Amino acid sequence: MTSRAVNPGARVLVVGGGYSGERFARAAAERGASVWLTHRRERDLGGEPAARAPLSWLRCDAEAEAIRSLRVRLSDVLVTLTPQADGTDAALNHLLEPLHRQPLRWLGYLSTTGVYGDSQGAWVDEHSPTEPTLPRSHARLRCEQRWLSSGLPVQSFRLPAIYGPGRCPFEQLRSGTARLVHKRGQMFCRIHVDDIVGALLHATDQPEDNQPAVINVSDDTPCPSSETLGYAAHLLGCKLPAVQRFETIAPQMSPMALSFWADKRRVSNQRLCSELGYKLRYPSYREGFAASLAEEQRATT
């Protein structure tokens, strides 16, 4: 995976050094870029493997301080922050003005496929109407629209459920806390974190006239969660829990848990994979779960 943005001369700021942000930052650093990440907590780097490319962590409660403390001219920015509780975007509020003074050639914004709302299982693509049903998806759409209208070179990447090492159901299966829930006709889309990174790098490598404002980043295999849990159990060689009908357990579920079952849609990746030519590393959860388990096992040896 090569990228115009990720080269020895690139100066990259990742706003929000969480799961996807750090994975992207490490890929950029390994390709020779200078990379800074913002984080709201102190980082304990004592256990960092020496072979890993170094990252510069910026602890900040207001992301504007990160820009002031850098004292470099940024070429690329990735914003991974979710909207705050009141629906506002801290990065927009604090960074928009200073970013306009930077010589940016690319800004990536991680959005959500939740902005499409409930399509009743039909396929959606980047031309589909955005009709979010959940408050957090409404907030994300508002933030996405503000970024796209900011005058900066923004591309928004709409993501479904993110999985990868440490974010698969293996530990729940081992501990006996996994739940096998069936809801008739329910489908979920997902994407491995390394395909998010790969899609970001691939998008920045396109010429300027082939960098669409919005890109769906989803794998080829929408399916029920019972199917993915069954495959995870197969990889571990363990039994599945008893199946529970959604209608039976819904009254005991939290509002947040229920919200994940509210929408049903299939997300097309044709723009990313056919028009832009990105080849998914993990076309389905099968390849992705197997690779994630292998990485988790390597990390414990």
Side-chain angles (χ1 to χ4, degrees):
M1 292 181 284
T2 59
S3 172
R4 175 184 66 183
V6 181
N7 58 55
R11 300 167 303 282
V12 182
L13 174 67
V14 179
V15 183
Y19 188 68
S20 300
E22 183 173 352
R23 200 86 166 182
F24 173 81
R26 293 202 178 281
E30 287 167 4
R31 287 158 174 79
S34 299
V35 184
W36 294 265
L37 298 89
T38 69
H39 208 278
R40 285 187 168 85
R41 298 184 300 275
E42 292 285 2
R43 297 289 301 187
D44 178 12
L45 303 181
E48 286 286 304
R52 280 188 170 183
L55 301 176
S56 298
W57 288 91
L58 302 170
R59 189 187 181 198
C60 54
D61 295 317
E63 279 71 14
E65 296 301 324
I67 291 289
R68 296 192 186 105
S69 63
L70 277 177
R71 301 185 186 281
V72 297
R73 293 170 65 80
L74 295 170
S75 59
D76 306 276
V77 172
L78 176 66
V79 178
T80 74
L81 297 185
T82 58
Q84 297 174 299
D86 62 359
T88 61
D89 186 321
L92 269 169
N93 292 342
H94 297 296
L95 287 183
L96 198 54
E97 182 180 349
L99 285 178
H100 271 289
R101 297 194 295 269
Q102 293 284 335
L104 294 184
R105 57 189 178 187
W106 179 81
L107 188 149
Y109 176 69
L110 298 190
S111 184
T112 173
T113 56
V115 300
Y116 296 115
D118 185 8
S119 70
Q120 295 295 304
W123 287 93
V124 296
D125 62 20
E126 293 83 355
H127 300 292
S128 299
T130 49
E131 300 173 338
T133 57
L134 300 172
R136 65 175 179 271
S137 298
H138 274 284
R140 189 68 70 91
L141 180 59
R142 289 194 299 270
C143 294
E144 178 191 83
Q145 291 170 338
R146 286 188 63 197
W147 277 112
L148 290 172
S149 62
S150 67
L152 296 170
V154 175
Q155 283 189 293
S156 181
F157 298 83
R158 292 175 177 169
L159 311 176
I162 302 170
Y163 75 97
R167 288 203 177 182
C168 294
F170 303 129
E171 187 53 40
Q172 293 96 318
L173 283 164
R174 293 189 187 102
S175 65
T177 60
R179 302 178 77 174
L180 182 60
V181 180
H182 174 72
K183 183 180 180 183
R184 184 175 182 179
Q186 185 71 41
M187 288 284 174
F188 294 98
C189 294
R190 57 194 59 79
I191 190 69
H192 190 286
V193 65
D194 285 345
D195 272 317
I196 297 174
V197 173
L200 292 169
L201 298 180
H202 186 79
T204 63
D205 198 35
Q206 304 304 304
E208 289 185 9
D209 61 355
N210 196 34
Q211 291 187 322
V214 175
I215 301 174
N216 291 335
V217 184
S218 188
D219 72 17
D220 293 336
T221 318
C223 67
S225 61
S226 56
E227 182 177 322
T228 57
L229 190 66
Y231 191 71
H234 165 74
L235 290 175
L236 292 178
C238 69
K239 292 183 178 179
L240 278 169
V243 65
Q244 299 174 293
R245 295 186 64 82
F246 175 80
E247 295 78 8
T248 302
I249 64 171
Q252 288 79 48
M253 296 174 73
S254 68
M256 178 59 74
L258 284 171
S259 72
F260 291 111
W261 296 82
D263 296 341
K264 180 172 59 177
R265 60 182 167 267
R266 292 176 172 88
V267 178
S268 170
N269 60 24
Q270 288 302 296
R271 172 171 287 178
L272 174 66
C273 296
S274 297
E275 297 177 26
L276 298 179
Y278 177 70
K279 184 177 181 180
L280 288 166
R281 188 172 180 180
Y282 304 111
S284 81
Y285 65 85
R286 299 178 190 89
E287 301 91 344
F289 275 23
S292 298
L293 181 60
E295 185 170 332
E296 290 177 13
Q297 291 170 335
R298 288 195 300 270
T300 60
T301 58

